[in-house]
Amino acid sequence: MFSLGREMENSSHLLSPSSPCTSTFGGSLPFSSSPQQTGCSNDHLSLPLSPISFPPSPSSLSPATAESLHSFSPLSHCTASQGLEGQHIQCFSTATVPDQDDLTCLNWLHQRGNLLPLQPLPKITTLPQLESFTPTQPLSPAMSKPPYSFSSLIFMAIEDSPDKRFPVKDIYDWIVKNFPYYRTATGGWRNSVRHNLSLSKSFRRIQRDKSQSVGKGSLWCVCPEYRPALLEVLRKTHSYHSTNINLLNKPVLLEGAEFGVPAVCDSMEMSDPLSHTLLLSSPSTQIMAADNTPFSENPPCPLTPDHEELVTMESVEYHQSDVSEDMEKDPLSDSGYIELHYYESHQYQYLVLPGDTELDLETVEILQLDAEAQEAAGSLLDLAGGVY
DNA sequence: GGGCCTGTAAACATAC
DNA sequence: CGTATGTTTACAGGCC
C-alpha cells in the first residue's frame, strides 16, 4: 500500500478518461512565444494521462495496488472502517463537488492569502479546532530568493488583486509583502518586474479610468490566453518546491503514538514518507484523539505550518455533523489547485487537503510522491474536478 | 553549439 | 525638476 503512489506511475490501467481536454506540459512561460495550446476552453488544463477513477475498481488493479487500496479504502472512500492495522482512520466527506466553471481560477489567492510553500498559512485558522494556531516563521529561509520567476510573481500578484489588475506599484508591494527577500533586495528587481511586464505577452497594459485615475501609470492584467500557461508554470514550481523539497528528502520517524493511537507502521515502507502522512480534509476535518475527543478539546500543541519534519500515520475522524452548512468554502475548490499544507505537531506531520477535493489517498500519494508521479497521474485539475 | 528562457542592467522616453 | 512608469536593448547564465 505504501508504494502505491510510485506504482501508479505506471498504472495506466487505473487511469480512465475523465476530461476531454488534454494538454502538454510545456513548462515554459509564454514569454515571447505563442500561447500554449490546451485544446480546451475555459482554461481547463489537464495532462495527457487521465486521472484515476474514483474509486478505482479493485479488480482493475494489480495485486499490489489492490492491496494498497484495500488497506487505504477507509480514507479513499471516505467511509468509516478499520484502516491500517491497528489504526483507526476515518474520513467522512460531506463536501459536494463544486461547480468549477474555471478550474484554473485563482480567486482563492486573495482569500487564501498564500499558495506559497515558504510562507505561513494564516488562513488555516478557519479550522475551528485550530483557533489557537499561530503561524510561525517559515522554517525555510524566508529571506532567500523565491523560486518563482518574475512572471510568476507578477501573475500571482495580479491574480491576488480584487479586480485582477494591478498597477506596477501594487505589484511591487505585493511581492514585497509576500516575499521578504525583496524587502531588502536592491532595486534592480523592480526594473525586472517592469521589464517582464513590458516584454512578456502574458501581461497586458490597461489604461486607467481617467475619471477615477489615482496614481501613476497603467493597470496590468493577465492575458486570458496565456493564463493557463502561467498557471501551469506556477503550479509546477509550487509543486516542485513543496513536494520534492518538503517531503522527498525528509527522514521518516515512526515513533510515538500521539493521542494514544497505536503507532503502527510496522508494515510500512520506511522509505516512503508519504506513507505515514496524515491526511485531513481542510477546513472541515477534525483531528481526533484516540478516545474520539476532538482535537480542539485535547490539543496536543499548536500546529506549525510548513514544517519539514517527520511523518507518521495518525487517526483522523471527520464528522459530518460538525460541518455547518455555512462553513467557509475552501477557496481552493474553484482553483484547480490542490493545495497541500503540512502542519507539524510534535513528531507528527499533518497533510491538509482542501475539504471538498474528494481526493482519495492513493491519488494524494501520487500527487506528492514526486513530480514525475504527478505528471504521470494527471493534473490536479482533473483529479479535483474532472472525474465526477 | 544553438535556441530559448530568465534575470539583470542600462539607456531613454514619457507621465505625473 | 525629480520620480515613477514604460519601452527597448544588451548581455550573461542555465537549461534542453
Side-chain angles (χ1 to χ4, degrees), chain A residues 320-333:
Chain A
Q320 178 172 351
S321 59
D322 292 339
V323 183
S324 62
E325 291 295 330
D326 56 354
M327 177 171 285
E328 179 183 354
K329 180 184 179 183
D330 193 321
L332 282 167
S333 62

Side-chain angles (χ1 to χ4, degrees), chain A residues 6 92 121 183:
Chain A
R6 299 190 188 284
F92 300 89
L121 300 165
R183 291 176 192 163

Side-chain angles (χ1 to χ4, degrees), chain A residues 262-275:
Chain A
V264 249
C265 311
D266 288 341
S267 61
M268 293 181 177
E269 290 184 9
M270 302 293 286
S271 60
D272 186 354
L274 291 171
S275 301

Side-chain angles (χ1 to χ4, degrees), chain A residues 122-136:
Chain A
K123 292 297 181 65
I124 199 66
T125 54
T126 55
L127 282 167
Q129 65 274 26
L130 300 178
E131 294 289 345
S132 61
F133 156 67
T134 302
T136 61

Side-chain angles (χ1 to χ4, degrees), chain A residues 238-251:
Chain A
H238 176 65
S239 172
Y240 177 84
H241 285 272
S242 63
T243 298
N244 293 357
I245 294 176
N246 289 354
L247 283 176
L248 296 182
N249 298 327
K250 301 308 169 197

Side-chain angles (χ1 to χ4, degrees), chain A residues 345-388:
Chain A
S345 174
H346 295 302
Q347 69 269 44
Y348 299 97
Q349 188 176 51
Y350 303 91
L351 167 60
V352 180
L353 296 174
D356 47 5
T357 58
E358 296 191 0
L359 292 179
D360 53 358
L361 182 55
E362 64 268 23
T363 303
V364 173
E365 287 183 335
I366 286 177
L367 298 180
Q368 301 172 82
L369 278 173
D370 56 48
E372 291 180 0
Q374 291 181 35
E375 297 192 18
S379 75
L380 302 179
L381 310 178
D382 276 346
L383 293 172
V387 297
Y388 300 105

Side-chain angles (χ1 to χ4, degrees), chain A residues 77-376:
Chain A
H77 299 263
C78 291
T79 56
S81 65
Q82 194 66 19
L84 298 171
E85 177 185 1
Q87 194 160 24
H88 193 60
I89 302 176
Q90 295 180 337
C91 175
F92 300 89
S93 177
T94 60
T96 57
V97 179
D99 293 335
Q100 298 188 20
D101 294 334
D102 182 0
L103 290 176
T104 63
C105 174
L106 277 176
N107 290 335
W108 53 277
L109 258 171
H110 67 276
Q111 304 175 49
R112 198 74 168 192
N114 194 318
L115 80 164
L116 310 168
L118 303 180
Q119 303 292 321
L121 300 165
K123 292 297 181 65
I124 199 66
T125 54
T126 55
L127 282 167
Q129 65 274 26
L130 300 178
E131 294 289 345
S132 61
F133 156 67
T134 302
T136 61
Q137 290 299 316
L139 296 183
S140 302
M143 299 304 289
S144 63
K145 190 173 184 178
Y148 304 99
S149 67
F150 281 113
S151 292
S152 292
L153 294 175
I154 295 167
F155 174 57
M156 287 188 282
I158 293 174
E159 289 292 320
D160 201 20
S161 65
D163 299 324
K164 298 294 184 290
R165 57 189 64 183
F166 251 171
V168 169
K169 187 176 187 311
D170 286 355
I171 294 175
Y172 295 158
D173 293 342
W174 187 94
I175 292 174
V176 167
K177 174 185 174 184
N178 290 277
F179 296 94
Y181 166 83
Y182 290 106
R183 291 176 192 163
T184 57
T186 55
W189 67 272
R190 290 182 173 84
N191 191 7
S192 296
V193 168
R194 297 195 305 273
H195 168 83
N196 265 270
L197 285 170
S198 292
L199 207 59
S200 174
K201 295 177 180 177
S202 304
F203 308 112
R204 182 184 303 160
R205 193 161 60 92
I206 306 172
Q207 289 296 329
R208 288 182 191 252
D209 184 352
K210 293 297 182 182
S211 62
Q212 302 176 359
S213 179
V214 176
K216 290 183 178 180
S218 307
L219 299 174
W220 293 88
C221 67
V222 177
C223 293
E225 61 267 34
Y226 292 100
R227 193 166 176 275
L230 287 165
L231 192 63
E232 187 61 29
V233 171
L234 180 61
R235 187 182 71 82
K236 291 188 73 174
T237 306
H238 176 65
S239 172
Y240 177 84
H241 285 272
S242 63
T243 298
N244 293 357
I245 294 176
N246 289 354
L247 283 176
L248 296 182
N249 298 327
K250 301 308 169 197
V252 176
L253 286 186
L254 301 173
E255 304 298 330
E258 195 73 83
F259 320 133
V261 174
V264 249
C265 311
D266 288 341
S267 61
M268 293 181 177
E269 290 184 9
M270 302 293 286
S271 60
D272 186 354
L274 291 171
S275 301
H276 320 301
T277 300
L278 171 67
L279 291 115
L280 306 176
S281 263
S282 170
S284 49
T285 297
Q286 290 198 357
I287 304 172
M288 300 297 292
D291 59 356
N292 286 337
T293 303
F295 190 80
S296 56
E297 299 176 14
N298 188 22
C301 71
L303 295 180
T304 304
D306 291 339
H307 194 287
E308 301 172 357
E309 188 62 40
L310 315 169
V311 185
T312 188
M313 187 62 74
E314 188 53 77
S315 285
V316 58
E317 186 165 0
Y318 178 97
H319 287 277
Q320 178 172 351
S321 59
D322 292 339
V323 183
S324 62
E325 291 295 330
D326 56 354
M327 177 171 285
E328 179 183 354
K329 180 184 179 183
D330 193 321
L332 282 167
S333 62
D334 294 330
S335 71
Y337 274 83
I338 304 301
E339 187 175 30
L340 306 178
H341 295 164
Y342 297 90
Y343 294 87
E344 184 224 351
S345 174
H346 295 302
Q347 69 269 44
Y348 299 97
Q349 188 176 51
Y350 303 91
L351 167 60
V352 180
L353 296 174
D356 47 5
T357 58
E358 296 191 0
L359 292 179
D360 53 358
L361 182 55
E362 64 268 23
T363 303
V364 173
E365 287 183 335
I366 286 177
L367 298 180
Q368 301 172 82
L369 278 173
D370 56 48
E372 291 180 0
Q374 291 181 35
E375 297 192 18

